[in-house]
Amino acid sequence: MRHPHHLDLDAYFARTGWSGERAPTWATLRSLHLAHVVGIPFENVEVLLGGVPSLEPADLEDKLVRQGRGGYCFEHNLLFARVLEELGFGVTRLAARVRMGSDEIRPMTHMLLSVEVPGEAHPYIADVGFGSGGLLEPLPLLPGVASPQGAWRYRLVRERDLWLLQTVYGEDGWFTVYAFTLERRELVDFEVANWYIATHPSSPFRNTLRVQCSGPHRRAYIDDRRLTVVHSDGSREERELANDHEVLRLLVRDFGLLLPWDTAFPAPSAPSEPSARREGPRRPESAARTEES
């Protein structure tokens, strides 16, 4: 039996640096979504080191809020859902199949949220936990409405009974990130997917360090031992990281993760390639192999 957990909103707001009005409004949802994405990194260190992240509310708060850590989609979006519900929003937990340019049918290993804002005519899609250039702000659940978000653009389109999240990079055109339906999912569904992602031998999160820090005009990624920084003007900086010491230094200094000084990462799964897998439209054949959760 799960015991009730009281979420410490003050601690969460301090962690994300958010100080807006604590009311279920569109302005609150928008600013809080951005604050979460900017303030709490995407990372899979726990899984890479052999662990299975707990999805218990108290553990999520402890890890992402009090321990100064990040997580992947289930951790981020379950915590964010609790925060929104505490503020009076209606939240439906959804699941998606990641596409990243591929037509392959994959398991539902990504989590996102549908959020009802009192007084608004339509729900919004919120997703603070996608590890490959995801949303900075919520999107209205309306087909074909493009949303500029900092230097990036997103939209939702219909494909038969599916909704597709799409983004566009430079001149490459619209690119499908993932597909989902509006069917409500329960915690047990995410527990199964979480176990699969954390333990399956072919899961990229078991073998590859993946960290992301996002903002309106800059995104930084660590993928294995390669650091990639993508700027709003489309320019990129890439370099290989020499050893665990340099990786750990960057994670603490630049990504804001509080990790033990003696953290040792497994050897890289394969040599990194310079044309970043995270910018899917530029290398769909490579991006298609990722399953960002």
Side-chain angles (χ1 to χ4, degrees):
M1 171 181 284
R2 287 187 166 88
H3 300 287
H5 169 253
H6 175 70
L7 179 65
D8 188 341
L9 286 177
D10 290 335
Y12 172 82
F13 295 144
R15 172 77 167 107
T16 57
W18 185 82
S19 58
E21 181 186 8
R22 300 188 185 189
T25 65
W26 160 237
T28 295
L29 175 62
R30 181 184 185 187
S31 63
L32 192 58
H33 193 287
L34 179 60
H36 184 116
V37 171
V38 173
I40 307 181
F42 178 99
E43 53 107 335
N44 69 321
V45 173
E46 183 175 357
V47 173
L48 187 66
L49 298 181
V52 178
S54 170
L55 302 186
E56 290 295 327
D59 295 334
L60 293 174
E61 180 182 345
D62 186 54
K63 180 182 177 183
L64 274 67
V65 176
R66 303 188 188 284
Q67 293 184 24
R69 292 286 303 280
Y72 55 22
C73 71
F74 309 117
E75 298 169 278
H76 278 280
N77 283 317
L78 284 171
L79 175 63
F80 194 59
R82 286 287 311 282
V83 171
L84 295 179
E85 288 170 336
E86 288 285 333
L87 293 175
F89 292 96
V91 180
T92 302
R93 292 147 179 84
L94 308 177
R97 300 185 194 274
V98 175
R99 289 195 178 179
M100 293 301 288
S102 172
D103 293 327
E104 177 185 357
I105 298 177
R106 295 172 173 162
M108 289 188 178
T109 56
H110 183 62
M111 179 185 179
L112 64 153
L113 308 172
S114 174
V115 182
E116 298 278 351
V117 179
E120 294 284 335
H122 51 75
Y124 290 86
I125 292 300
D127 184 357
V128 295
F130 191 74
S132 189
L135 295 174
L136 296 175
E137 301 174 358
L139 276 180
L141 188 60
L142 298 170
V145 179
S147 172
Q149 300 187 7
W152 292 272
R153 285 189 294 155
Y154 301 89
R155 71 178 182 184
L156 296 170
V157 299
R158 298 304 305 269
E159 182 184 87
R160 298 182 296 279
D161 62 335
L162 298 175
W163 287 88
L164 308 182
L165 174 67
Q166 296 185 330
T167 188
V168 61
Y169 299 103
E171 299 178 357
D172 292 307
W174 289 102
F175 174 81
T176 298
V177 179
Y178 55 69
F180 64 95
T181 71
L182 301 181
E183 180 182 352
R184 177 187 297 274
R185 307 290 174 171
E186 304 299 334
L187 179 59
V188 65
D189 298 315
F190 302 120
E191 289 176 332
V192 171
N194 180 50
W195 182 264
Y196 170 83
I197 285 292
T199 65
H200 195 281
S202 67
S203 169
F205 294 104
R206 291 190 67 231
N207 306 301
T208 306
L209 176 65
R210 293 190 172 171
V211 186
Q212 173 183 276
C213 186
S214 293
H217 305 292
R218 177 182 180 274
R219 281 189 163 125
Y221 309 95
I222 293 179
D223 194 335
D224 264 350
R225 296 301 191 275
R226 175 171 290 273
L227 171 67
T228 301
V229 180
V230 182
H231 297 278
S232 59
D233 61 1
S235 64
R236 312 164 62 83
E237 304 166 24
E238 297 183 353
R239 68 181 179 90
E240 295 289 345
L241 305 177
N243 49 43
D244 281 359
H245 176 73
E246 186 176 14
V247 172
L248 189 59
R249 179 171 59 85
L250 280 174
L251 290 180
V252 173
R253 185 193 67 188
D254 296 350
F255 289 81
L257 295 178
L258 300 183
L259 295 166
W261 65 270
D262 58 347
T263 300
F265 301 102
S269 57
S272 298
E273 298 181 8
S275 43
R277 289 177 293 187
R278 298 183 180 278
E279 298 303 307
R282 296 180 55 183
R283 284 183 56 88
E285 76 284 357
S286 181
R289 291 197 296 270
T290 69
E291 297 219 13
E292 304 299 346
S293 175

